Structure formats: C-alpha cells, structure tokens
Amino acid sequence: MSWIQKLYETHGAVETLTRDKGSKSTVPVSHTTARVHIEIVLDAEGIFQRARVLDKSEVTTVIPCTEASGTRSGIKPDPHPLCDSLQYVARDYRDYGGEVTKGFKDEPLEPHASYLKQLQTWVEASPHPKTKAILKYVQLGCIIKNLTNEHVLPLDHQGKFVKTKEKNAKDSHQIWPVLSASQLPENAVIRWRVEIPGQMASGVWEDQSLIDNWATYYPAAITRKDVCLVLGEENTALASFHPAKLRHAADKAKLISANDSSGFTFRGRFTDKDGAQACGVGYEVTQKAHSALRWLIERQGYRNGSQVYVSWAVSGKDIPPPLGDGPDWLEEEAPLPSHANDGLFQTLNQSRNLGQNFALKLKSYLAGYQKTLSPTEEIVVMGVDSATPGRMSIIYYREILGSDLLDRLHKWHWEMAWPQRHVIEIEGKTAGKKDKKRVVWRTCAPAPRVIVEAAYGPAATRDKDKKLARATIERILPCIVDGRALPRDLMESCVQRATNRDALKSWEWEQTLGVACALFKGYYLRHQNPDKRREYSMALEEECTSRDYLYGRLLAIAENIEGMALYVAGESRPTTAVRLMQRFADHPYSTWRTIELSLQPYMQRLQTRRAGFLHNMRSLLDKVLDLFEGEDFRNDRRLTGEFLLSYHCQRQDLREKTHKEDASETEGEA
C-alpha cells in the first residue's frame, strides 16, 4: 500500500502549492467531474429564473458524489446528491416520454425518488442556502416544463422528447453540439446556479462553502469504521468503494475494486467484499490519493494507449520527465545553476565536438533541478494499465531519491545520445501562409515512442490497441529509471531495420538510422561484461581500426562519390551503396567488390567535372583501406551495428566538408 500512502502525502503538498500559485487544484474530497450540458439558474427562494445550454469549453464541472455514485454502473445506478442527469432530478421526466435506465422501468417513481430523498437528507442534516433553494425547486416537479419553455430541450410534434437527430437539418437545436454522438437530449446532465444577493459565487461548483459543506457532511455519515492501515488510525471511516476516472472522464477502471455478493472474488479467502479482512483503507485517504493521482496524470502523465506513466516528487516540486522527448525538455527553461555563466558552460562549436556540447547542455539542465531538489527528495515513478474496462493494475512502481533519479536520467541521455532526426515547424515569412516544416538533427537520446517506431515500424504506435508499443515501453522504462541494460533484441531489431534501407521511406530510414546508432552505442556502454563494454564517440573516429567501423566508412564514401556524380549529371536515383546496403551488411567483402566496380564510370564522369573532389575521395578511400589490419578486409562475416555508427559519422563529415567547399567556390566566383 505504499503507493496510496505516497499519493495521500502528495495531495497535501499539491493543495498547498496550487493554492499559493492560484493554479488548477485537485478535485475536492467526495466530489468528481462530470460532463454537464444544461445550467439552471434559481433565486434564493428556489424560483426558476432561466436556463441555458453550456458551451463545449465549460461542460466539465466538479460535482458532489457519494462512494456509490462516483463509480456507478449497472442497471440501477445510484444518484449523485446534487447535479445529475434529467432522469434523476426531474419528476416530470417520464411525462415527456423520457426513458429511464433498465433497472428502474418497473418502478414509476424511480430514480427521481432516490435522488430527492438523498437531497432531503443532506439539507436536513447540514443545511445550506443553495441546497435549500434547489430542494424547493426540485420538489415542484416542473424542470422539464421549464426547460422546454426556454427552448433548451427539443420536443417533437406530440410534445415528447426528440428521439433522433435530423442529420440534414440546417438549424439543429442548440443542445445537439454538446452531446456525444450516441446521446439524446433527454440524457442531458444539469448543474445549478443559485443567485443570492451579496454572493459572487452563484454556481454550486464555485461556492467553496457548499463544497466544504458536502465534504464535511458525507464522510461523517459513513457508519462503517475500523483501522485505516494506511495511516494507522483507529475508528476511521473506511471506504467501501474506491474512485475511478483516473485516466480520463469516462474511465471506469479502478485500482481497488471487488466483485458483487456472488462470492467469486472471495472464495476460499474472504467472506465479504469490503476489504477490512485484508486491508482497510480510510475513506478520506482513498479520496485524496486518487484525486492526487488523477491530477498528476492530467498534468504530467505520459500516455501510451491504455497505459499511463506518471512521475512526481512527493513534495510537489517539478522534476524532469523520465519518458519525455529529449529536445522537448532539454530546450525548455529550467532553473539555472549558480555557476551557469562560468567558463564551463560557454557555448562550443558543435561541428568540432558534438558530444561535449551535448554533455554541457545536459549537465546545465539537470543542474537546475539539482538546485531545487534535495538529494533525499522522495520521487515516485508509477505506471498503470487496464486489461478490462473495470480493472486497473499498477504495472510499474518505484520509489527513488531525487539524486538517484537525476543521475540515472543523466546516464540514460548521455549514453543513448546520438544525432536524431526531428521535424520542426517554422512560421511563414508572409502572413496567411501555412507554417512550414524543416528537418533538423538534434543530439539527444531517442524518445521511447521513436524507439518503438524504429524497432517495429510506425504502425506499432498507430495501432488502436498499441499492444506492441505498450509492451516495449514497459521494457524501456526500467532502463531509464533503474539503470538496467538495454534489451539486446530491441537494439538488434533497430539495427536490422536500419540496414534494410530499400524497404523504408527516406524519412523513416533516416529516423531509424539515428535510433539504431543510439541504441547500439548505449547497449555496449551498459554491457554487463566489462570485456565487451565499449565507448563510441559521436564524432568520426578517423584512427579507429575496427573492421566493422572501417567498412561503414567505406560504404559512406562510395555513396558520396556516386551521389556527387548523379548530382552533377542532374540525375535523381538511389546509389548502388543504397541499394546494396542490406547485402553489404551480410557480406561486406564480396559486396564491396560489386560497389567498387560500379563506381568506375562515375569516377570517370567526375574526372572532368569535379577533379578536386574526386582526388580527395580517392585519397580518403586509400586511407581507410590502409587502416585494415591483417585479413580483416577479406573477412566476409556479417557486420554488427558498429558499421552504422561509422557510416553515419562519415556521411555527416563528408556533407559538412562538401558544404564548405561549395561555399568557398561560390565566394571565389563572386
């Protein structure tokens, strides 16, 4: 039960922080959120004033609820105590042809009678001016009549509720846009506004005194009391039902639940479903804990299909997101360390030392959090998922110190750092034009979503159920938070797809190549066997004599030579190196012979058009070939992912040199 205790502690910290900042807070105890469609305005005496259909932007409303109504389901759902759908609040609902829930069809006065009785009990036990006015109005039994007179609800020619929407009607009734696709006007939910002279907050969801009234009254009315094993307090009101709506407003899955009285869940172990025989949880504890979790998920949750991961500091302080995309959180403004302006953090020439530049940016960013988070700060990382619509489970849970989290994030983003393809939007130069997109390469660790796409294709993240994506994220998160070794099969899958270049679109291959290089580099940095642990630079290692590394350089040089020849001739087609990349990875020596022979006519073409370029490329080829040791060059065994690292670095190095040469030639011509 550690998770519920940490969330309960977080609730208190969040309430204090949001109150001080004036930002959105958690849902109050004994309250829930509901999608409301109609607002009814009364005066202090409960006399109807007006009604309106709400805009889409204001439909989500905080309303009072009971344990049963907050998680209601089935054929006879329990009523909310104040704001609810028309079948509960309106006595004249059936007079206009309204259809009640299945379980109430044989009970003419239900479910309105249950709603009215509950509201009367509340008003008698803990009276409030607004609830007394609402009770007076509800007892009149004219809600539907008033709403139809105000043209809030549409009626057919027989004076009954409209059952179908006119699809081709130009002037649809104003309530249709705020209803869901399968919802009828008779199923609309109402909220109350009571205008009392001298009170600014007329809405029941705005009046803090009314919110506190229900939050105090309802827990005191719970008769089932015992020891709360979360707080260790005796004679505490225990929860019989636990809140839902954690991931979104329509989420019915619960972390703590039990079946009905059929006894299936308790067979051979418990005799009742209340949970006290196993572990009693206080009503206030579960309300605050689930409210805090709901707030955290909405504010900073990482969603992956039905999965949601959330990380937070129990104190409520901001922390860097473990599953966040590197460029997103490395470029956002973080608290600067006191030494941010000294020589260590000066901007470097990225073309000279890509790795050092990224390391300083990463260190500078995390130093800001080290300033605000104490080394012993309690950090929780939690993941939830549901296998069925009604049951949710905790699939990942860790409690770590703030210093450990920052160290592991630094380790992950440094070890997995490699230039990654990103698409950014830039505004058009002239007004009225659509934003343009530009491809940039940013040094960072690939985001988990991008890793999934690189390993299994974009379809894995676009699938409706996202089963493969969910399973992969579950494997990646421990590598980030716990510092575990990267799964070898995941790395190999990315490498395999990156070598199969012909099967991928250009943008997809570029993205996959960056991810494959990052995972291969990080995998061998984290290798459990010290003898196999290796460190690769993000810049070209010109003196490296590894066979796989040198073959990768050869492939990039061959591609550059043929690519330049095609460019000079004005042709646009894949090079031989591109077309044979998969075969080259499997049989490098024999395939290189094919590629080398295919380069001869292109070299002859460049001899007359780009002689200087050709001379440089031939010299580079000879230099790389001379670096092979012994029989390494004639060894035709399959290449590892190391050749992708050298291929990527050599390719980038040649592009930069070609760009500089073109720029110098242009300046010379001017």
Side-chain angles (χ1 to χ4, degrees):
M1 302 297 287
S2 177
W3 64 272
I4 199 169
Q5 180 182 357
K6 295 302 179 185
L7 284 169
Y8 176 75
E9 295 173 5
T10 304
H11 183 275
V14 167
E15 286 290 286
T16 302
L17 289 174
T18 53
R19 183 170 57 250
D20 294 341
K21 295 180 180 179
S23 56
K24 184 178 180 181
S25 184
T26 58
V27 176
V29 173
S30 304
H31 287 71
T32 188
T33 56
R35 185 177 176 86
V36 180
H37 311 97
I38 300 172
E39 179 179 282
I40 297 178
V41 183
L42 310 175
D43 65 9
E45 300 302 321
I47 299 175
F48 178 83
Q49 300 297 307
R50 59 190 179 278
R52 70 182 181 97
V53 176
L54 300 177
D55 294 329
K56 288 185 177 180
S57 59
E58 54 181 344
V59 294
T60 302
T61 306
V62 175
I63 65 172
C65 70
T66 64
E67 279 191 290
S69 71
T71 57
R72 64 187 184 186
S73 60
I75 60 174
K76 298 182 72 172
D78 291 84
H80 291 309
L82 196 60
C83 304
D84 213 330
S85 60
L86 291 172
Q87 70 167 339
Y88 292 96
V89 301
R91 191 174 68 190
D92 54 346
Y93 176 76
R94 297 198 188 194
D95 298 341
Y96 289 81
E99 295 185 8
V100 297
T101 308
K102 183 179 179 180
F104 298 123
K105 288 188 176 181
D106 296 332
E107 303 176 22
L109 300 180
E110 293 292 352
H112 174 70
S114 298
Y115 167 83
L116 184 61
K117 180 180 180 181
Q118 185 171 250
L119 181 57
Q120 285 176 324
T121 304
W122 177 15
V123 172
E124 292 172 0
S126 183
H128 188 278
K130 285 187 173 62
T131 54
K132 290 198 298 184
I134 293 170
L135 177 60
K136 286 182 181 179
Y137 175 65
V138 170
Q139 288 175 330
L140 296 177
C142 57
I143 292 180
I144 304 300
K145 178 181 178 181
N146 291 151
L147 293 179
T148 54
N149 290 340
E150 292 285 313
H151 305 289
V152 171
L153 291 175
L155 299 178
D156 59 19
H157 62 281
Q158 296 180 343
K160 303 294 184 181
F161 287 124
V162 175
K163 300 295 183 180
T164 57
K165 180 181 180 180
E166 297 179 9
K167 296 181 180 180
N168 299 324
K170 294 183 179 180
D171 299 323
S172 297
H173 197 277
Q174 58 182 338
I175 198 172
W176 287 110
V178 299
L179 297 172
S180 62
S182 59
Q183 198 171 18
L184 296 175
E186 64 187 76
N187 303 132
V189 179
I190 64 99
R191 71 183 188 188
W192 307 97
R193 188 181 289 277
V194 182
E195 296 177 338
I196 300 176
Q199 292 187 11
M200 295 296 293
S202 58
V204 295
W205 65 97
E206 303 169 330
D207 191 340
Q208 190 61 44
S209 65
L210 178 57
I211 293 174
D212 294 339
N213 181 282
W214 174 254
T216 302
Y217 157 73
Y218 182 70
I222 298 176
T223 57
R224 180 172 168 266
K225 296 184 178 181
D226 209 323
V227 179
C228 172
L229 296 185
V230 176
L231 298 182
E233 297 178 355
E234 297 181 355
N235 197 29
T236 303
L238 296 186
S240 298
F241 300 92
H242 298 268
K245 300 184 180 181
L246 295 177
R247 296 169 295 184
H248 49 81
D251 188 11
K252 297 296 184 182
K254 295 188 287 185
L255 283 169
I256 305 176
S257 60
N259 283 356
D260 56 20
S261 56
S262 63
F264 178 79
T265 301
F266 330 112
R267 186 177 300 163
R269 186 175 295 271
F270 306 121
T271 58
D272 64 66
K273 65 176 181 179
D274 293 331
Q277 293 175 321
C279 183
V281 179
Y283 171 78
E284 182 180 359
V285 170
T286 190
Q287 287 284 317
K288 290 185 176 181
H290 284 82
S291 179
L293 180 57
R294 188 183 301 114
W295 182 85
L296 289 166
I297 289 175
E298 180 182 356
R299 180 174 180 263
Q300 59 204 53
Y302 178 89
R303 299 177 183 273
N304 178 42
S306 60
Q307 282 181 349
V308 177
Y309 294 95
V310 63
S311 56
W312 74 93
V314 176
S315 63
K317 297 178 182 178
D318 291 334
I319 63 171
L323 289 172
D325 195 351
D328 291 342
W329 63 270
L330 280 176
E331 291 183 2
E332 72 182 25
E333 293 185 4
L336 289 176
S338 57
H339 54 285
N341 295 322
D342 62 22
L344 179 64
F345 288 89
Q346 292 178 357
T347 303
L348 301 179
N349 186 347
Q350 187 166 342
S351 62
R352 290 185 179 181
N353 199 324
L354 194 65
Q356 186 179 3
N357 191 18
F358 171 74
L360 294 182
K361 284 184 179 180
L362 178 62
K363 185 177 180 181
S364 177
Y365 178 83
L366 294 179
Y369 284 101
Q370 288 172 347
K371 186 178 179 180
T372 58
L373 293 173
S374 66
T376 57
E377 193 82 42
E378 291 181 287
I379 307 293
V380 180
V381 183
M382 181 175 176
V384 297
D385 195 4
S386 57
T388 65
R391 299 290 187 272
M392 185 184 297
S393 62
I394 298 175
I395 57 175
Y396 184 86
Y397 185 81
R398 293 291 185 278
E399 294 179 14
I400 58 178
L401 298 177
S403 58
D404 291 340
L405 175 67
L406 296 180
D407 289 344
R408 290 169 187 174
L409 284 179
H410 180 274
K411 182 179 180 183
W412 168 263
H413 284 276
W414 168 246
E415 293 179 347
M416 302 294 166
W418 195 266
Q420 302 293 323
R421 181 186 186 274
H422 290 87
V423 179
I424 62 173
E425 293 185 356
I426 55 176
E427 296 182 358
K429 295 182 179 180
T430 58
K433 289 186 177 181
K434 293 183 178 180
D435 291 347
K436 298 178 181 179
K437 294 182 178 180
R438 182 163 60 94
V439 176
V440 296
W441 287 84
R442 291 175 176 167
T443 302
C444 62
R449 175 189 57 81
V450 180
I451 295 176
V452 174
E453 291 182 351
Y456 307 111
T461 58
R462 298 170 188 166
D463 180 60
K464 183 178 179 181
D465 295 330
K466 295 187 177 181
K467 291 183 179 179
L468 188 56
R470 284 155 46 197
T472 306
I473 297 295
E474 280 189 54
R475 302 176 68 197
I476 294 175
L477 186 59
C479 302
I480 302 174
V481 179
D482 302 335
R484 294 184 185 176
L486 194 72
R488 183 183 179 91
D489 65 291
L490 189 61
M491 179 270 292
E492 292 286 3
S493 180
C494 292
V495 170
Q496 180 63 31
R497 291 192 76 245
T499 58
N500 190 15
R501 187 169 179 175
D502 271 350
L504 307 179
K505 297 180 180 178
S506 177
W507 68 267
E508 185 181 351
W509 176 78
E510 293 278 3
Q511 176 177 285
T512 304
L513 176 62
V515 175
C517 291
L519 297 193
F520 186 87
K521 167 179 171 283
Y523 176 81
Y524 281 98
L525 265 176
R526 294 190 172 198
H527 206 288
Q528 296 179 352
N529 187 346
D531 296 334
K532 294 184 178 181
R533 196 172 297 152
R534 298 196 296 271
E535 183 174 354
Y536 294 98
S537 171
M538 283 182 274
L540 180 64
E541 300 178 39
E542 296 183 348
E543 303 304 321
C544 180
T545 59
S546 169
R547 165 186 170 271
D548 293 5
Y549 198 89
L550 293 175
Y551 263 123
R553 293 186 64 184
L554 288 179
L555 186 66
I557 296 169
E559 179 183 337
N560 193 52
I561 293 173
E562 186 175 346
M564 178 60 72
L566 294 175
Y567 172 75
V568 170
E571 300 179 26
S572 177
R573 57 180 174 81
T575 64
T576 305
V578 169
R579 291 185 287 105
L580 297 181
M581 191 173 189
Q582 177 70 64
R583 179 182 164 191
F584 181 82
D586 294 334
H587 308 285
Y589 175 67
S590 57
T591 308
W592 173 249
R593 180 63 178 165
T594 303
I595 295 174
E596 189 176 32
L597 290 174
S598 70
L599 287 178
Q600 299 309 313
Y602 299 108
M603 287 183 174
Q604 293 176 5
R605 182 186 300 177
L606 291 172
Q607 186 66 47
T608 59
R609 303 287 296 274
R610 294 288 181 97
F613 169 82
L614 179 60
H615 173 75
N616 293 336
M617 290 299 100
R618 279 176 169 168
S619 299
L620 185 58
L621 272 176
D622 293 339
K623 181 180 178 181
V624 174
L625 288 170
D626 288 342
L627 290 173
F628 280 94
E629 297 178 347
E631 294 296 316
D632 283 351
F633 180 67
R634 294 181 176 84
N635 190 333
D636 206 29
R637 73 173 186 272
R638 179 180 174 82
L639 297 174
T640 66
E642 185 180 34
F643 95 96
L644 292 176
L645 273 66
S646 58
Y647 168 80
H648 191 278
C649 291
Q650 183 69 75
R651 188 165 170 254
Q652 185 64 25
D653 183 71
L654 291 172
R655 283 182 176 179
E656 291 178 1
K657 289 179 178 178
T658 303
H659 178 73
K660 290 179 181 179
E661 291 174 0
D662 291 343
S664 62
E665 289 180 7
T666 304
E667 291 176 2
E669 293 174 359

